[in-house]
Amino acid sequence: MPEGDTVWRTARRLDEALTGSTLTRTDFRVPAHATLDLSGRIVEQTLARGKHLLTRIGTDHTLHTHLKMEGSWHLYRHGSRWRRPVHEARVVLHTEEWQAVGFALGITEVIAREDEHAVVGHLGPDLLGPDWDEAEALRRLGADPERPVGDAILDQRNLAGIGNMYRSELCFLAGVHPARPVAEVPDLARIVRRAKQVLEANKERAVQTTTGDLGRGRQHWVYRREREPCRRCRTPVRRAEIDGRGVYYCPRCQPA
């Protein structure tokens, strides 16, 4: 599942290409909206809320999409060949200049503008949003002190934007085992601040790094490096399961 910085960058690209333009055609390829036609309406804005995308169309509609595991948004000039199969398209928005195609989206729904809160109101403070509130994020994380920290920081209801890659990397950078209870984390605020720092640093680029190195295979400390030597102590990196997802850690740098 994409990290929050990837979704932020997707929103910016859509916003730059579509905002202010009139939709000349819309094609919603999901049963609930198969007959919906929003052509003639102006795209007002596209913004990210955590890992959710909200494209505001006209004065009263919002296209709510989520990339989930395999989704992506592409922008094409008219006549250009699509880079993903046609059958994966869930929505196509046409303007005079662009075709915006949402492929394999996990969520594709059109809602009333006034109902946006119903789809994103459950989210915690957005690490890349204007509403970022460190104190509120820490309050939410601390509300369940026995929960494993690697699980708690992934929960979008606590703070929005961290995915599986960043949770492994953030726990490593803090020297904290991902299964350690929140209450036993020496400096929870440090993890939250570092999360803000790394997402801000990576939101402008396609290649994400937590090591500061953009070279292939050198961007991460532990993520997807099972059995490879830790970059700090050379101990083999391990993989564990938390909430059904793999999390990576160094048993020496992050003792249980």
Side-chain angles (χ1 to χ4, degrees), residues 41-54:
R41 291 172 171 81
I42 295 174
V43 179
E44 300 292 337
Q45 183 184 23
T46 296
L47 56 90
R49 184 72 175 85
K51 298 184 182 184
H52 298 253
L53 289 159
L54 302 174

Side-chain angles (χ1 to χ4, degrees), residues 1-7 9 161 165-166 198-199 201-203 205-215 218-220 223:
M1 187 175 293
E3 307 284 341
D5 49 8
T6 299
V7 179
R9 193 166 55 253
M165 182 273 284
Y166 279 133
V198 294
L199 266 74
N202 284 320
K203 71 180 184 181
R205 56 193 176 207
V207 178
Q208 296 158 318
T209 179
T210 54
T211 63
D213 192 332
L214 293 173
R218 301 195 299 272
Q219 305 101 313
H220 303 140
Y223 182 66

Side-chain angles (χ1 to χ4, degrees), residues 8-200:
W8 183 92
R9 193 166 55 253
T10 298
R12 186 182 66 172
R13 291 180 63 241
L14 291 172
D15 190 59
E16 290 175 346
L18 302 179
T19 294
S21 298
T22 299
L23 294 174
T24 57
R25 179 184 167 196
T26 59
D27 185 1
F28 296 97
R29 302 183 182 185
V30 292
H33 305 301
T35 61
L36 180 63
D37 181 8
L38 296 181
S39 60
R41 291 172 171 81
I42 295 174
V43 179
E44 300 292 337
Q45 183 184 23
T46 296
L47 56 90
R49 184 72 175 85
K51 298 184 182 184
H52 298 253
L53 289 159
L54 302 174
T55 299
R56 293 169 175 165
I57 300 172
T59 59
D60 52 3
H61 290 88
T62 296
L63 170 61
H64 169 224
T65 59
H66 196 298
L67 304 182
K68 295 289 185 180
M69 294 298 293
E70 299 179 353
S72 62
W73 274 96
H74 293 191
L75 288 167
Y76 298 101
R77 296 293 185 181
H78 291 286
S80 299
R81 184 175 180 179
W82 291 0
R83 297 189 303 274
R84 291 188 64 165
V86 172
H87 72 267
E88 292 186 356
R90 299 293 177 265
V91 57
V92 188
L93 304 177
H94 300 255
T95 68
E96 287 189 3
E97 290 189 67
W98 295 101
Q99 286 182 325
V101 189
F103 291 101
L105 301 171
I107 295 174
T108 305
E109 61 178 353
V110 178
I111 60 175
R113 182 77 49 82
E114 62 187 14
D115 293 335
E116 286 181 359
H117 186 77
V119 296
V120 296
H122 66 288
L123 298 174
D126 187 342
L127 283 156
L128 294 178
D131 69 333
W132 170 244
D133 185 336
E134 179 183 309
E136 175 61 16
L138 288 169
R139 186 194 69 77
R140 294 187 182 210
L141 288 166
D144 189 354
E146 299 305 313
R147 191 175 188 181
V149 65
D151 189 18
I153 63 174
L154 194 66
D155 190 333
Q156 304 301 295
R157 295 170 298 182
N158 291 329
L159 67 170
I162 294 175
N164 207 37
M165 182 273 284
Y166 279 133
R167 78 155 166 180
S168 293
E169 296 292 286
L170 289 166
C171 287
F172 175 82
L173 289 167
V176 173
H177 193 285
R180 181 179 290 189
V182 168
E184 297 179 13
V185 175
D187 192 351
L188 189 61
R190 180 187 176 194
I191 295 179
V192 171
R193 289 174 192 146
R194 185 62 62 87
K196 174 71 170 171
Q197 290 170 355
V198 294
L199 266 74
E200 287 284 358

